Amino acid sequence: MLPDCTILKLKHLLPAIGLTCLATMAVPASFAESNAKAEDPKTPWNWSEETVFNAVNQVRAGRDLNPESWPGNARVAVLLSYDVDNETVMGLRTGDVSIGPLSQGQYGHRVALPRIVKLMNDEQVPSTFFFPAWSLKIAPQQAPLINESGLHEIAVHGWIHELNTSLDAATEERLLIQARDEIEAISGKRPVGYRAPSWNHSPNTLRIVRKMGFLYESSLMHDDRPYELVQDGEATGLVELPVEWILDDAPMFNPRGNRYMNPRDIMQVWIDEFDKAWEEGTMFLLTLHPHVSGHRSRIVALEGLIEHMKAKGQVWFATHEEAARYVRAQAGMDQ
């Protein structure tokens, strides 16, 4: 069986694999409720055109924000990100507390994160670390470890890696405000970026993120390039730095499931993705989890990828904040 974090992240992608925890939410709750009188949410083949368009237009990609050139005349922007989930995805988020899984979570901040931060510092690669607030509250020493070099960014990844799509609007907003404030208190800087737990939005998420004034969002998959988010047909002014499952370590590095792959094979997938981004002059964004990729046999994939990128040359390594500010400026969004 897949670990909790992968199951809950993949549930909207794998509706037919027979896991009961995946068989939920074919239609977001508030959308279903708003259309309940006229349309049956369980029979979308009978929906009217209006209902279908309302569904898909909740959050869409707007204008392409990929700049004509990247800083230093680089051909590609490389954004390495880490979702520092630790104990939150090892039982805390669901209340299924068990000592064994929690020990895996502690490995994330006790061993894996220091190993990864050391590699990023040694290679001088700026990176962004997304934290569920409780992950940082449990081990606040992670913040000075990340901040010491001055290279990196700390951003928000929820309160306790809650399943935000199951929450009412008031609860989701309360938890996100708590998360931002706690992370600021521990890290010493107000975070400007948001990544949704499980990489999904409720019908209320984007409104809350906009209300809170975040600079960028990084949970969705409309494009390979940075773009502006559109909500209900209107441009939001919010930069999306998109993610992708093939650029995430968790689905393929599960040693207890049937999707496990050799880290060196995964490295080649990442290299191929990077090479195409380099050819296109766009962006390469990779998501890793310290408790996953921070193991000895797996960090070799990250080491090999960085070696390849540096050998290729013309690469701009940046935090998500740096990339978001750059594309905003190039697109004239701050004028």
Side-chain angles (χ1 to χ4, degrees), residues 58-107:
Q58 293 178 91
V59 180
R60 299 290 270 178
R63 59 173 164 162
D64 173 18
L65 297 179
N66 202 79
E68 293 184 4
S69 62
W70 295 104
N73 203 32
R75 287 190 57 88
V76 63
V78 169
L79 279 58
L80 298 187
S81 61
Y82 299 91
D83 290 359
V84 194
D85 297 335
N86 299 338
E87 290 95 340
T88 64
V89 295
M90 294 300 179
L92 290 183
R93 65 174 290 170
T94 61
D96 298 324
V97 175
S98 182
I99 292 172
L102 288 175
S103 72
Q104 291 179 287
Q106 186 177 7
Y107 182 93

Side-chain angles (χ1 to χ4, degrees), residues 38 140 295:
H295 285 274

Side-chain angles (χ1 to χ4, degrees), residues 185-304:
I186 296 171
S187 70
K189 180 182 178 182
R190 173 158 289 208
V192 300
Y194 173 74
R195 174 172 288 168
S198 303
W199 285 7
N200 200 2
H201 279 204
S202 78
N204 305 300
T205 303
L206 184 53
R207 178 189 59 78
I208 295 168
V209 169
R210 294 173 64 188
K211 179 180 177 181
M212 291 178 63
F214 281 100
L215 174 71
Y216 70 85
E217 208 282 337
S218 184
S219 315
L220 303 176
M221 309 180 197
H222 300 98
D223 206 318
D224 300 310
R225 304 159 296 181
Y227 57 92
E228 182 179 9
L229 284 172
V230 170
Q231 185 171 30
D232 296 323
E234 296 184 1
T236 65
L238 186 65
V239 174
E240 178 67 26
L241 300 174
V243 294
E244 207 346 283
W245 292 113
I246 55 178
L247 291 168
D248 182 300
D249 59 354
M252 297 303 181
F253 278 168
N254 173 30
R256 298 169 60 195
N258 59 11
R259 291 172 181 80
Y260 179 75
M261 292 179 66
N262 186 309
R264 295 176 190 270
D265 293 336
I266 295 297
M267 178 181 70
Q268 189 58 54
V269 174
W270 296 342
I271 286 173
D272 291 343
E273 284 278 336
F274 164 79
D275 285 348
K276 280 298 181 182
W278 192 94
E279 291 175 16
E280 295 170 351
T282 56
M283 181 181 74
F284 174 87
L285 190 158
L286 181 65
T287 301
L288 304 171
H289 300 75
H291 74 276
V292 174
S293 283
H295 285 274
R296 294 170 294 193
S297 62
R298 296 173 179 173
I299 203 166
V300 296
L302 182 56
E303 292 169 341

Side-chain angles (χ1 to χ4, degrees), residues 16-223:
I17 67 174
L19 296 174
T20 57
C21 63
L22 302 186
T24 59
M25 297 184 60
V27 182
S30 70
F31 171 77
E33 290 166 2
S34 66
N35 289 275
K37 292 182 180 179
E39 312 280 358
D40 182 353
K42 296 181 180 179
T43 59
W45 50 89
N46 291 325
W47 285 358
S48 66
E49 288 189 3
E50 180 183 5
T51 298
V52 173
F53 280 117
N54 285 342
V56 299
N57 286 332
Q58 293 178 91
V59 180
R60 299 290 270 178
R63 59 173 164 162
D64 173 18
L65 297 179
N66 202 79
E68 293 184 4
S69 62
W70 295 104
N73 203 32
R75 287 190 57 88
V76 63
V78 169
L79 279 58
L80 298 187
S81 61
Y82 299 91
D83 290 359
V84 194
D85 297 335
N86 299 338
E87 290 95 340
T88 64
V89 295
M90 294 300 179
L92 290 183
R93 65 174 290 170
T94 61
D96 298 324
V97 175
S98 182
I99 292 172
L102 288 175
S103 72
Q104 291 179 287
Q106 186 177 7
Y107 182 93
H109 56 77
R110 179 182 174 89
V111 179
L113 183 68
R115 183 176 285 150
I116 282 172
V117 171
K118 181 179 185 304
L119 176 62
M120 297 300 97
N121 292 347
D122 289 348
E123 295 290 345
Q124 287 292 288
V125 173
S127 304
T128 300
F129 295 83
F130 289 92
F131 277 91
W134 261 111
S135 180
L136 198 56
K137 283 163 66 68
I138 289 170
Q141 68 272 18
Q142 294 172 107
L145 177 71
I146 291 167
N147 289 336
E148 184 178 12
S149 68
L151 286 173
H152 311 303
E153 173 193 5
I154 292 176
V156 179
H157 192 39
W159 173 247
I160 198 166
H161 211 289
E162 62 278 0
L163 188 60
N164 59 308
T165 54
S166 70
L167 303 175
D168 61 80
T171 302
E172 184 178 4
E173 183 172 356
R174 173 176 62 82
L175 293 181
L176 187 49
I177 292 172
Q178 287 178 192
R180 179 200 61 193
D181 292 350
E182 287 283 355
I183 290 171
E184 179 182 8
I186 296 171
S187 70
K189 180 182 178 182
R190 173 158 289 208
V192 300
Y194 173 74
R195 174 172 288 168
S198 303
W199 285 7
N200 200 2
H201 279 204
S202 78
N204 305 300
T205 303
L206 184 53
R207 178 189 59 78
I208 295 168
V209 169
R210 294 173 64 188
K211 179 180 177 181
M212 291 178 63
F214 281 100
L215 174 71
Y216 70 85
E217 208 282 337
S218 184
S219 315
L220 303 176
M221 309 180 197
H222 300 98
D223 206 318

